[in-house]
Amino acid sequence: MSMKDEGPGNGDQGSGVRDQAGAAPEVPVPDLAANGTPPPLERAPLAYENTAFLNSADGRLIRIVAEYVEPLARFRKEQIQDTVVFFGSARFRGREEADLDLELLENTGSSRPAPSDEQPASIPAIVEGTATDLQRKRAVAAVEMARYYEDARRLAQMLTQWAKSIPSRRHRFVVTSGGGPGIMEAANRGAREAGGKTIGLNIRLPFEQAPNPYITPSLNFEFHYFFMRKLWFAYLAKALVVFPGGFGTLDEMFEVLTLTQTQKLAKKITVVIYGTEYWKKVFNLGALVDTGAISPKDLELFHLADTPEQAFEILRQGLTENYLVPEAAAAKARESAPPPPPETDLVTGTIDDFVAPELAKTRK
């Protein structure tokens, strides 16, 4: 997790010299009037309107808090109770089903294509023998990645259609992605096609990028701090679906698995790893068990799936058993219990009784 702050105002760290970005600009001392009275002074800006201060190193704490409070306010307004997060490669631009070609992007989430020598080979180039070995390998992989795009799109559709049928005054199990292209776009696209709200948690990167067009506009976020973006991925998530991807996908997947393994989350998260053949080539978890690095029971922290239907059934069962059934039982118990005295409601209630959306609890 990178906590590097690329914003203005880093020049003061470790230098012993105070950054003056947050201070009022220096102005020449005005000449006194003949009677000795200085001229009228302009009003100073309010602290929260002082952009120089907010963008300085001294304003970093406020920027971090803003990336917690502002998304929370929007989630409340949009009545988002919980999410299902989709992770996967953001290094390709999906095309329509009839065209299995894929265009690799310059970097994760970038809007610019990679160089031509890194692109999958075209059929004519393979026939003519002009394609490189890397291009031929990527041509084969492109067919698989196109399938994963459509599978993620289909799974998001199925999940959203089911979630919309759940009686609730808030939106349940809202499909959420990192907001970029590739698998993230496919997830947002499928949810939108099913008529549901869908969230994009984008991150500002030092190259040209743009959120995919399928995100619900009021739920389109852009973060500066990676760790705040990670918080919102995990905070509302009740399930995680991991499609084939690279460093970012691995990072997010193992972070959630580690939080679950160490019981740092006081909730159950259903984790689905999609694409068995791909992931078997990427890592060997059996070797970690054989060497004692992880326990055999740690392999039960996730499920493997290879079709949208299989993945959906795993999600539906996990979300129903872990949340919908207990919630229904708790609601029934509240109906039969006598109401508490009105004057003690606020005193005896917890923050979870008054904060919406229902936020995931973490262990103390």
Side-chain angles (χ1 to χ4, degrees), residues 165-236:
S165 70
I166 300 171
S168 176
R169 63 189 179 91
R170 297 179 189 148
H171 299 281
R172 303 303 307 270
F173 312 131
V174 178
V175 169
T176 300
S177 82
I183 295 298
M184 296 185 286
E185 175 187 291
N188 292 131
R189 181 177 182 177
R192 180 163 182 163
E193 290 170 341
K197 289 180 180 288
T198 183
I199 300 168
L201 305 179
N202 222 311
I203 184 75
R204 180 162 296 183
L205 298 172
F207 47 78
E208 184 181 356
Q209 60 174 151
N212 73 68
Y214 300 102
I215 301 166
T216 301
S218 57
L219 293 169
N220 176 32
F221 298 87
E222 182 161 300
F223 292 86
H224 174 77
Y225 297 101
F226 258 113
F227 63 92
M228 293 307 299
R229 180 182 186 236
K230 286 171 176 284
L231 179 145
W232 282 115
F233 271 134
Y235 211 22
L236 298 178

Side-chain angles (χ1 to χ4, degrees), residues 5 17 39 104 132 170 256 303 333 339:
D5 185 348
V17 179
L104 285 179
T132 65
R170 297 179 189 148
V256 171
H303 307 267

